[in-house]
Amino acid sequence: MAAGSKAVFIAVDIGASSGRVILGRLTAAGPELDIIHRFPNGAHFLGGALRWDVEALLAEVLVGLRRAGEAAARTGATVTSIGIDTWAVDYGLVDDAGTLRHLPFSYRDERTAASIDVIHGAVPPAQLYARTGLQFLPFNTVYQLAAERSLEGFQALLIPDLLAYRLTGERRTEATNASTTGLLDAATGTWAEDLFGPLGLSPELFPPLIEPGTAIGRLLPAIASATGLPAATAVVAVGSHDTASAVAAVPADSPHFAYISSGTWSLVGVELDAPILTGESRAANFTNERGVDGTIRYLRNTGGLWLLQECLREWSIEGPEPDLPALLAAAAALPAGGPTIDADSTDFLAPDAMPARIRRAAGAGPDVLPTREAMARCILDSLAAAYARTLQDAVRLSGHRIDVIHVVGGGSQNALLCQLTADRTGLPVLAGPVEATALGNILVQARAAGLLDSGPGSPGSPLAGIRAAARRSARTVRYEPAERVAATERVASAR
């Protein structure tokens, strides 16, 4: 790391419920992040479908870029580059002139229901998995594409690639996000071109692939004018699937860790050197998504804090906005052993009426989940149980030893969820950093600029330098399993 460097980097980090523009710099003490601009996000019913308003997102990004540039200038720093990460699978269709065919559909829209059988009729699920290693989810990009009326004359840009295109005029497909389409060869990291024809897709449907750390282009003159940033400012590919950036920034000091990227969704798994494409892995619905530096994120999407977020939203409509810390404290005081639900069920995919759906899943009756704290405890107990099941399967299928679980993202602030996870798994949980996605985004940019050395780390680990930098800045909270704490106390009292 270059001490005293005046270079700073901008991370555009957009999740399914909110976005941030963050300014990052490297210091001798570790990376520093400054959240410059926050803005809401969410899918809206437009034109009879659930869609993303990417024009509104782009406008918020431009506001954030201008504010970040101004903040950098006040300290005499220079913005070296910009990196963009978002959620996965969704895309926009653009014609030769770059015009959007329509606002991008949300993965929560129900339009793919009829297209799943179409895809599986052309290429059987076992064959799809053997090539792409992607877990079955009804909203995977390949099913969404099958639901389009026609693709002729259009190119598909995944959401972060679409935003990068609007900033630079350059069309590329970043590899970590491409691995969520169901069209990338899991073993080679290249497009599985032999699948495109049987699926009725053109090999030119997506722009060329690039890896994290590759420059996409420089700001268009109009964008430079709108943001006040120099036209020479580069947009650099990062782990544009937000989970890829988050996992890159896990502050692990050994390879024997599991991760939970906890937010609207929970991404639960381990990091491997090669994909696992067995029938047993497919039956367990594990996915092999690419990480930064060609690593494999062997994981399963499980239910996330979406369930609680939707309950909070509905309760806010009914009356005063709930006090979340007080709600969680009351939930923590409830006895263990309450009702649970299958947090992974597709019954919870769509918005609205979430408390009623959870109550029905827990066992309809007037005495089931009678209070909001009981509902919150049910959600968190169910998530912790899902995490434990998933990690048991990950160990069984991969043979990868786990000594510690790193929880990153917004869910790392939920002390009750972290403690329940430690209790359910019997493993210590290290919670943090909260902004792991933005941290990974910034560190990939810094390394691309030559400002991050290899650093200490596990021998042969390509991410050693990034993780060493993450450890220097990460503030983590450790949660021990209750049984382990109790056993320690029993030993101490016996002495």
Side-chain angles (χ1 to χ4, degrees):
M1 180 174 68
S5 171
K6 285 290 187 179
V8 294
F9 307 90
I10 299 175
V12 176
D13 171 29
I14 307 177
S17 56
S18 66
R20 295 157 292 278
V21 177
I22 297 175
L23 198 63
R25 71 185 72 237
L26 300 184
T27 72
E32 292 182 352
L33 303 183
D34 185 11
I35 300 175
I36 300 296
H37 182 50
R38 290 183 183 270
F39 51 94
N41 188 30
H44 305 279
F45 280 103
L46 300 167
L50 205 55
R51 300 177 186 269
W52 302 107
D53 188 348
V54 291
E55 301 301 338
L57 288 179
L58 179 63
E60 294 286 5
V61 168
L62 296 181
V63 169
L65 293 181
R66 172 172 285 282
R67 292 178 180 176
E70 292 169 349
R74 286 195 293 270
T75 65
T78 301
V79 175
T80 299
S81 62
I82 301 163
I84 304 171
D85 66 76
T86 77
W87 67 98
V89 305
D90 291 340
Y91 59 88
L93 294 174
V94 296
D95 62 18
D96 290 343
T99 303
L100 265 176
R101 177 178 181 176
H102 49 62
L103 288 177
F105 288 97
S106 166
Y107 60 87
R108 294 190 188 276
D109 189 77
E110 297 179 348
R111 70 194 178 108
T112 60
S115 64
I116 294 170
D117 288 343
V118 173
I119 293 295
H120 291 174
V123 181
Q127 184 180 341
L128 275 176
Y129 190 85
R131 290 299 308 283
T132 69
L134 192 67
Q135 76 178 116
F136 171 75
L137 292 168
F139 48 73
N140 287 341
T141 311
V142 66
Y143 305 121
Q144 294 198 48
L145 291 169
E148 295 285 352
R149 294 192 308 275
S150 171
L151 295 168
E152 186 174 355
F154 291 93
Q155 199 165 44
L157 292 172
L158 297 168
I159 298 298
D161 301 322
L162 176 60
L163 293 173
Y165 170 61
R166 296 292 293 271
L167 296 183
T168 67
E170 299 291 338
R171 302 186 190 189
R172 298 292 186 271
T173 308
E174 188 279 318
T176 67
N177 218 4
S179 70
T180 72
T181 62
L183 293 165
L184 196 78
D185 187 304
T188 66
T190 59
W191 291 119
E193 292 187 356
D194 58 310
L195 296 181
F196 280 64
L199 297 175
L201 303 174
S202 166
E204 286 76 43
L205 177 61
F206 289 94
L209 287 165
I210 56 173
E211 294 289 333
T214 305
I216 298 172
R218 301 191 183 279
L219 296 181
L220 291 167
I223 299 299
S225 176
T227 61
L229 294 171
T233 306
V235 176
V236 171
V238 294
S240 70
H241 182 192
D242 49 12
T243 309
S245 280
V247 172
V250 166
D253 58 5
S254 111
H256 300 295
F257 70 92
Y259 54 82
I260 301 173
S261 181
S262 178
T264 301
W265 283 93
S266 301
L267 294 306
V268 184
V270 295
E271 186 174 82
L272 303 177
D273 297 326
I276 298 175
L277 305 175
T278 63
E280 191 178 16
S281 180
R282 181 176 77 88
N285 213 23
F286 266 76
T287 201
N288 296 269
E289 296 173 1
R290 292 186 74 79
V292 174
D293 291 352
T295 53
I296 298 296
R297 290 177 289 120
Y298 189 62
L299 61 88
R300 190 160 60 202
N301 282 48
T302 71
L305 291 170
W306 160 258
L307 284 77
L308 184 57
Q309 291 164 359
E310 277 292 288
C311 288
L312 292 170
R313 184 178 67 82
E314 185 154 326
W315 292 334
S316 296
I317 295 171
E318 294 173 356
E321 183 173 351
D323 181 331
L324 182 57
L327 178 68
L328 294 177
L334 294 174
T340 58
I341 58 173
D342 177 6
D344 300 339
S345 172
T346 56
D347 291 343
F348 305 121
L349 189 59
D352 299 328
M354 188 64 76
R357 280 185 280 156
I358 290 173
R359 192 170 286 111
R360 284 196 301 270
D367 297 326
V368 173
L369 306 179
T371 63
R372 292 178 177 181
E373 54 263 35
M375 179 74 69
R377 180 60 183 263
C378 170
I379 291 170
L380 299 182
D381 275 333
S382 301
L383 289 177
Y387 298 166
R389 289 194 304 270
T390 300
L391 291 178
Q392 288 170 359
D393 285 343
V395 170
R396 173 177 59 84
L397 294 165
S398 69
H400 184 83
R401 192 181 92 218
I402 299 174
D403 295 334
V404 63
I405 301 169
H406 285 269
V407 178
V408 299
S412 67
Q413 297 175 293
N414 191 314
L416 176 55
L417 179 58
C418 291
Q419 185 61 59
L420 292 173
T421 300
D423 294 344
R424 280 280 190 166
T425 61
L427 291 168
V429 166
L430 282 178
V434 176
E435 297 290 353
T437 300
L439 181 60
N441 180 322
I442 293 290
L443 291 175
V444 168
Q445 292 184 65
R447 191 178 65 176
L451 298 181
L452 192 64
D453 58 26
S454 60
S458 303
S461 170
L463 287 167
I466 286 177
R467 293 216 165 109
R471 288 196 298 276
R472 285 195 291 272
S473 68
R475 294 174 176 84
T476 59
V477 178
R478 188 179 181 94
Y479 297 85
E480 292 287 351
E483 287 187 2
R484 185 178 299 185
V485 172
T488 301
E489 292 174 348
R490 285 195 297 271
V491 170
S493 63
R495 291 175 179 169

